[in-house]
Amino acid sequence: MSHQPTPHSLRFHGTTILAVRSENQVVMAGDGQVTLNNTVIKHNARKVRRIYNDTILVGFAGATADALTLTEKLEQKLERYNGNLTRSAVELARDWRADKYLRRLEALMIAADGTSMLLISGNGDVIEPDEGIVAIGSGAVAAQASATALFHQTELDLRRIVEVSMQIAASLCVFTNDRITIEALDP
């Protein structure tokens, strides 16, 4: 007897989002694969985008509808707090953790502007990475390790570091593909 999946047993599997910051630039990338159980259902999803008049980059891992809801909520906070990313992220995390509806959302976000780069979670976390390199999703360890090594051991520009690191993550993680969206903010 074969097991037929129910809507509640269907699982969307990760993605890889990577962000790297230097003194004068931030580059963020995400792969395009969406997987439902053991099937790839989309190859070119866009998981990295610009918000708040193109001044902030966001990337998300997790359920797409949840991530889009959180992106919209972050943009509302940015409007309320005049583009202050840190304050907006803290307020979003507070709401995310406290609100019964938002608490059920399954996603992680990275948000970056000209001065800050933050990982935001539903547990109330707002974390600024020490070295200006952060990754989320199923291929995060490979992407972050690669980006860290390339950042410290090569003269590659940030865009190339992110591109190579995402290619490495795609070669190791079955839930990450090589159809990568890259966005950059220059001060």
Side-chain angles (χ1 to χ4, degrees), residues 29-48:
D31 77 295
Q33 183 169 299
V34 176
T35 309
L36 182 59
N37 288 334
N38 61 355
T39 305
V40 176
I41 59 171
K42 187 168 178 71
H43 298 281
N44 293 309
R46 187 169 181 83
K47 303 169 192 173
V48 173

Side-chain angles (χ1 to χ4, degrees), residues 62-154:
T64 304
D66 293 354
L68 293 174
T69 298
L70 292 167
T71 301
E72 184 177 292
K73 295 281 186 194
L74 178 59
E75 197 151 24
Q76 290 170 359
K77 298 291 184 188
L78 289 163
E79 292 290 336
R80 182 173 180 188
Y81 297 109
N82 299 315
N84 182 322
L85 178 58
T86 302
R87 175 78 189 272
S88 299
V90 168
E91 293 299 323
L92 173 65
R94 182 177 298 155
D95 288 354
W96 191 354
R97 184 178 176 137
D99 184 273
K100 288 181 184 181
Y101 168 74
L102 292 177
R103 207 175 15 219
R104 294 186 204 163
L105 301 182
E106 297 180 15
L108 284 171
M109 295 179 72
I110 298 173
D113 65 8
T115 59
S116 303
M117 184 165 60
L118 305 169
L119 183 147
I120 309 165
S121 83
N123 294 331
D125 299 318
V126 177
I127 301 167
E128 187 163 21
D130 289 335
E131 294 189 37
I133 301 170
V134 66
I136 57 175
S138 58
V141 171
Q144 188 164 338
S146 173
T148 301
L150 291 170
F151 185 83
H152 291 294
Q153 300 299 320
T154 71

